[in-house]
Amino acid sequence: MPKIHSDVAGGVAVLRISNPPVNALGQAVREQLLDLITRAQDDAAVEAIIITGEGKVFIAGADISEFGKPPLPPALPEVLDAIENSAKPVVAAINGLALGGGLEVALAGHARVASASARLGLPEVKLGLIPGAGGTQRLPRLIAPAAAFALMLDGEPVEAARALELGFVDVVAPGDLLETARDKALALARAGAWRRTGDASATLTEQAREDFEERAREALRRQPDAPNVAALMEAVRGVFELPFAEGLALERSRFRTLVDDPRAQALRYSFFAERKAGQVPGIGRETPRREIARAAVIGAGTMGGGIAMCFANAGIPVTVVEVAEDALRRGIGRVAALYESSVGRGSLSREEADRRTALIDGAVGYDAVADADIVVEAAFEDMGVKQEIFASLDRIAKPGAILATNTSYLDVNAIAAATQRPQDVIGLHFFSPANVMRLLEIVRPEATAADVVATCGDLGRKLGKVAVTVGVCFGFVGNRMLARRTAATERLLLAGALPHEIDDAITGFGFRMGPLAMGDLAGLDIGWRTRKAQGTRAPVADTLCELGRFGQKSGRGFYRYPENARKGERDPEVEALIAEIAQREGVERRSFSTEEIVARLLYPMVNEGARILAEKIAARPGDIDVIWVNGYNWPAWRGGPMYWADAVGLGVIAGQLTAFADREGDETLRPAPLLAELAEAGLTFRQWAEGA
Ligand code: T1G
């Protein structure tokens, strides 16, 4: 049960919030906080009040699980009004993360003392919201409104020192946090002078207004159709135009509207789905873990270099192993250049870049993996090559070392079988660029030991990844579903949809890029090589490759790329070529609406997701959604393919798939048994998962 411990000593009441794991401002916490602030007003022994958090977090914000349900009094703004209007000074002693409503509690206080390691932010935009308890009205009264707006738009926390510099932390405690906070609180009480944040106005100058409006125009240009960005602008503009109380009312009303917006609901779903995805059946806190103090990566190509950077970025020394000196040198050089460009962009300090670079060394030959606790193989995507490498690693790596393959679709059981230690073998499927993409598919063969799976889950988090554990099959989850979209795209091109019509339909849905532009960017030859290895074909894409049209790298693919152009242009040659192939294949052509293109590309993916769930390759629909949002740019405000399918209605999807299967004569398009069953029963994937 959440508890706020209250200790009064030396004239100061210290209210310590204890609501593990993150001191979220659930109803019980709000109620106790209001009660303790109210009671302190009449307590003669109390001259001043301190609010602090127990554990590593100050307060991580409102309790997100309460959103969308009937509100439970007292509402947070009511508690913050009591803090701000207290007859005794209230000081926030920020012992750790102060996020969202947590920072808003501190802003309602009369001073803020932070520990040096504390981080402070208003991440509400990431949930499709805006701060709803005074953040948009109080922060711009403490710091430059343009800077406040930028912080709320970005949603990322800042270090205590930066908050001090900006002006919304008053003191960074040099030593004991509570000592410093106590001194500050008593000084305010005994001087009898403290300021309500709502009364501050020094930041509200004409120039500040212009600076804010400029930032607002830029934000609107970047995100023209994000309702929460528009609401944030309106609320911060209210700081200049409305009395404080009216500004609070405006903020609250816009916040309440956003809470009910389907996009915000989808983002909240994603927040919890991401955390649930880390819960692997059969793996618990009690499962042992292996220590990962040193890593090795086999292969210094784009993937190997990116994976090595993930380890270095997490402070884990890593050796990049190549079989040839020049390949090693090129790989290490590419990594150094990437760090350099981060320093150049200002996203990484020189010291940090040097520290990370120093953690990466290179070696020729597999002997270098002898003392590694984990080896990640990122070599050529060929089963024979991988089995040979794993046989060598088996001979050289120390007992207990985890042997991981970065394969993006091959059978990890077959790779494990090349060793005498299948219990130590696992798939760690990073997404390119590995040092940027958040998704990590942990591919779990039958023989893999539980402690290896548990260790890799923790490692994924340490590397800053969203780790989802999946079963072994061709393409695991993400690529297996992507293959369905790719096949549907190829079919649609032949049936008459033009490349740009397909891409426009998919970017209009919310993806950053359409499948054809994406293919041109990645290189059409990659898929071509895979299809040749598997003996499958894609008439259009294969023909383009046979003509040397590999995409951007060859200046021509589905689109043509005039000198150094980043965006492709329609290419009448390609459109004529596709019509020719269609004729040869006996495919009748017609035009397609945007809605039909979306349905033809995405419903088969959902269908494959249903098969994946039935085969237990993914533990739950949310895992599939987390994979697609974090690995394939599925628009986060649509929750993910399975969440979206539930909203569309499984009956609608099953019906359309049946029509596609009948029209195309393709049985793989027919609704998967699980999809058909849920459609029949009028259930959603989420209801099935909750009932499963
Ligand atoms: N509400 C409810 N549960 C939360 C929560 C929250 N705010 N934050 C975390 N949890 C749960 C999470 O689901 C998980 O549960 C457990 O705590 C550990 O979380 C009014 C409207 C703080 C950086 O957006 O960013 O305030 O899986 O695994 O990796 O204007 O949690 O164990 O059952 O993420 O150490 C704004 C969200 C809310 C912060 C810690 N605040 N949380 O990361 O642990 S809106 C946020 C985080 C708001 C006001 C507005 C992270 C963390 P379970 P975890 P972690």
Side-chain angles (χ1 to χ4, degrees), residues 546-564:
E546 282 147 20
L547 295 170
R549 300 181 70 119
F550 298 128
Q552 286 194 22
K553 61 179 149 184
S554 55
R556 300 179 311 158
F558 280 100
Y559 303 99
R560 62 180 177 203
Y561 298 84
E563 195 58 29
N564 301 325

Side-chain angles (χ1 to χ4, degrees), residues 286-301:
E286 72 294 341
T287 308
R289 268 72 172 168
R290 298 186 190 182
E291 202 215 342
I292 303 288
R294 179 160 199 86
V297 175
I298 307 290

Side-chain angles (χ1 to χ4, degrees), residues 21-22 24-25 56-57 60-65 67 76 97 99-102 104 119 122-124 127 129-135 252 255 271-272 275-276 279 285 461:
V22 295
L25 287 162
K56 64 179 169 58
V57 176
D63 182 337
I64 306 173
S65 63
F67 292 166
L76 188 55
L97 264 178
L99 297 177
E104 289 171 306
R119 289 183 299 133
L122 293 169
E124 288 85 342
L127 295 169
L129 303 171
I130 61 170
R252 195 71 187 162
F255 170 76
F271 173 84
F272 289 112
R275 280 145 186 86
K276 205 142 180 59
Q279 294 164 18
R285 291 187 204 286
R461 264 186 295 284

Side-chain angles (χ1 to χ4, degrees), residues 611-692:
R611 295 190 183 100
I612 284 168
L613 288 170
E615 295 165 28
K616 298 195 183 329
I617 295 292
R620 51 186 82 84
D623 288 12
I624 295 175
D625 290 331
V626 166
I627 283 170
W628 269 82
V629 166
N630 290 284
Y632 298 83
N633 287 320
W634 181 283
W637 53 269
R638 286 188 186 271
M642 311 313 271
Y643 179 91
W644 170 72
D646 283 346
V648 169
L650 301 191
V652 168
I653 294 176
Q656 289 271 294
L657 283 168
T658 303
F660 297 162
D662 293 343
R663 188 180 312 139
E664 303 285 340
D666 176 352
E667 284 310 300
T668 65
L669 289 174
R670 206 155 298 284
L674 175 61
L675 177 59
E677 178 197 323
L678 295 181
E680 183 61 31
L683 291 174
T684 61
F685 285 117
R686 288 173 79 193
Q687 288 165 328
W688 170 78
E690 275 142 21

Side-chain angles (χ1 to χ4, degrees), residues 48-94:
I49 301 161
I50 288 175
I51 299 173
T52 192
E54 194 150 90
K56 64 179 169 58
V57 176
F58 172 63
I59 301 172
D63 182 337
I64 306 173
S65 63
E66 286 184 7
F67 292 166
K69 296 173 188 158
L72 299 168
L76 188 55
E78 187 189 337
V79 181
L80 303 196
D81 283 349
I83 291 171
E84 183 161 60
N85 298 312
S86 164
K88 301 175 179 180
V90 180
V91 171
I94 305 169

